[in-house]
């Protein structure tokens, strides 16, 4: 069972998918064909149905040129300590001067 927060997120995602499709002036029939699904499945996506597979969403995002956004979904957290160590490690490095 999907809770209210998940339903809201799925509905918003579906609305953004529809807006992106319309901005590209793709019909439901054309876009569904391009991502390899039926028109009813695309309608489910656009209404936020949780029944659509993640693979179908990935195909849609790829066609819309948004596939790189998938990397942000569960991106590893970068700790401030690690960032400081990396910056500190490379801060003092200089190229070796060669004598001619």
């Amino acid at each position: 069972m999907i809770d209210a927060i998940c339903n809201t997120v799925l509905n918003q995602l579906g609305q953004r998918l529809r807006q992106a499709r319309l901005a590209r002036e793709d019909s439901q029939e054309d876009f569904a064909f391009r991502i390899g699904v039926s028109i009813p499945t695309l309608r489910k996506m656009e209404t936020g149905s949780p029944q659509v597979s993640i693979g179908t969403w990935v195909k849609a995002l790829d066609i819309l040129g948004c596939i790189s956004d998938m990397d942000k979904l569960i991106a590893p957290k970068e700790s401030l300590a690690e960032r400081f160590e990396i910056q500190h490690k490379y801060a003092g490095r200089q190229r070796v001067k060669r004598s001619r």
Side-chain angles (χ1 to χ4, degrees), residues 18-90:
R18 183 174 189 273
Q19 290 169 355
R21 177 183 59 77
L22 292 173
R24 295 170 49 99
E25 299 181 0
D26 279 346
S27 67
Q28 282 186 328
E29 182 179 0
D30 290 341
F31 196 73
F33 177 78
R34 292 174 69 195
I35 62 174
V37 299
S38 65
I39 294 172
T41 298
L42 177 58
R43 285 188 188 131
K44 285 181 182 180
M45 292 173 76
E46 291 184 349
T47 58
S49 171
Q51 297 172 340
V52 180
S53 75
I54 189 77
T56 303
W57 277 101
V58 169
K59 287 179 194 175
L61 292 173
D62 187 31
I63 288 171
L64 294 172
C66 303
I67 194 70
S68 62
D69 294 341
M70 289 293 292
D71 189 44
K72 298 173 190 166
L73 289 178
I74 308 178
K77 300 286 184 197
E78 179 183 34
S79 76
L80 293 176
E82 288 175 359
R83 187 184 318 165
F84 176 77
E85 286 177 22
I86 291 170
Q87 288 175 345
H88 182 70
K89 179 180 177 181
Y90 293 108

